[in-house]
Amino acid sequence: MAFIFSILGRWSVVEADLRTSSALSYFAAVMLLTPLIAILGARRPGVRAWPWFVVLPLVLVLQWPSVSQLMSGRSDLAVEVPTPTAIGFLLVLVMGAGNYFGTLNTLAAVLGGTGIVVMLARSANWFDPATHWPEPLAATLFLLAAVRVRRRFRPSAKAALQPEVHDANRLWIDFRDLFGIVWARRVVDRVNQFAQRESWDNQLTLDGFVAKSASPNVTAPLAVEVPDRAVEVLCWVLRRFVDPPFVHRYLPNLRTEQPEQNPAPVQPNA
């Protein structure tokens, strides 16, 4: 949707109204950031307030230079993005796209992030205004990113992993690739608090449940069997992010109830 505004800005606006054209392109670039930042506030109950107290103010701050110039009445000059605003824009982009580095959506994040940079450069007229290749380039990058985005969390594609992989690991890997590394690390820490307190044979890593004896510096094979207690705790922690139907796609017979015991804070070894 946001990219449509760029197309309208460059090809549907009267050629003389350069300011409106570049303002629409910049608006598209800013709006393309919002999904990447929205996912960082995905944990409940804060997810309800995050769009209003984080995402919306971010859009207003980044859009203010464009809006103020658009209201100046000059239509023959393109919108200029101040250096501090451009730096802030790029920092937000790195923070949002970097959330998917280390997942199976890494390449999609790189392609999409590069497309957003091209959009920013085009809207700020860092390219020669007479050139028309930035729009096709950005469109191609977004298309490639969309193709690369994993969709295995859909029921029709659950068999993408090896058939011997436990359904809890399927659930976890799809959650990681959907919500990103930031939330995945938080969930790993929370689940492993239970694992340490209750002396499980398995532990959760960013790649799934593995044997507790596996070295953290070596990629260990995923556990074929995951204890019911570990599955119960994982799903209980994930309730802060996803609805029961998402979990039941992988574990249709699971009862998503609160664990009987909460873990005590993990104490450092003496």
Side-chain angles (χ1 to χ4, degrees):
M1 179 63 70
F3 190 68
I4 293 176
F5 281 95
S6 174
I7 301 301
L8 291 175
R10 283 294 167 180
W11 293 337
S12 299
V13 177
V14 178
E15 187 74 20
D17 196 353
L18 183 58
R19 175 145 297 181
T20 301
S21 173
S22 59
L24 284 173
S25 295
Y26 181 66
F27 175 76
V30 172
M31 294 305 295
L32 285 167
L33 291 176
T34 55
L36 299 174
I37 301 304
I39 201 68
L40 297 177
R43 188 172 63 176
R44 299 164 181 168
V47 65
R48 295 182 179 274
W50 187 266
W52 303 105
F53 292 96
V54 176
V55 179
L56 180 60
L58 174 67
V59 171
L60 294 177
V61 169
L62 293 178
Q63 278 293 136
W64 179 248
S66 173
V67 172
S68 61
Q69 295 175 55
L70 192 61
M71 296 174 60
S72 67
R74 293 287 302 274
S75 62
D76 57 335
L77 297 177
V79 166
E80 296 182 2
V81 181
T83 300
T85 301
I87 294 175
F89 185 105
L90 295 175
L91 288 176
V92 171
L93 175 59
V94 170
M95 180 173 59
N99 183 38
Y100 292 96
F101 288 6
T103 72
L104 296 183
N105 284 326
T106 300
L107 181 56
V110 171
L111 292 171
T114 304
I116 294 175
V117 172
V118 173
M119 291 279 295
L120 172 65
R122 180 48 146 170
S123 61
N125 283 286
W126 296 346
F127 299 117
D128 185 350
T131 61
H132 297 289
W133 59 264
E135 289 87 356
L137 174 60
T140 301
L141 290 170
F142 292 139
L143 178 60
L144 292 174
V147 170
R148 289 296 306 174
V149 168
R150 291 183 59 254
R151 300 185 182 274
R152 202 186 62 242
F153 57 86
R154 294 181 176 179
S156 61
K158 283 172 57 179
L161 283 176
Q162 299 88 344
E164 67 273 10
V165 172
H166 194 280
D167 285 339
N169 281 327
R170 299 178 191 274
L171 166 65
W172 168 247
I173 293 172
D174 287 344
F175 171 85
R176 178 203 66 188
D177 293 340
L178 186 61
F179 285 82
I181 289 294
V182 172
W183 287 124
R185 290 188 180 278
R186 296 288 297 274
V187 173
V188 165
D189 292 341
R190 182 62 170 161
V191 171
N192 284 337
Q193 286 180 351
F194 282 89
Q196 181 172 343
R197 187 172 187 268
E198 301 177 9
S199 301
W200 298 354
D201 293 331
N202 294 338
Q203 63 182 351
L204 184 62
T205 68
L206 290 176
D207 295 320
F209 283 101
V210 300
K212 196 170 185 178
S213 59
S215 172
N217 298 324
V218 178
T219 301
L222 298 181
V224 176
E225 295 294 333
V226 179
D228 292 341
R229 176 60 176 169
V231 176
E232 177 187 356
V233 170
L234 173 64
C235 295
W236 179 73
V237 175
L238 293 186
R239 85 200 192 284
R240 300 289 297 273
F241 301 91
V242 299
D243 295 323
F246 182 89
V247 175
H248 291 159
R249 291 176 178 178
Y250 307 86
L251 304 163
N253 298 323
L254 179 76
R255 294 182 302 171
T256 53
E257 299 176 355
Q258 180 172 346
E260 297 178 357
Q261 300 177 349
N262 288 327
V266 178
Q267 300 295 332
N269 295 329

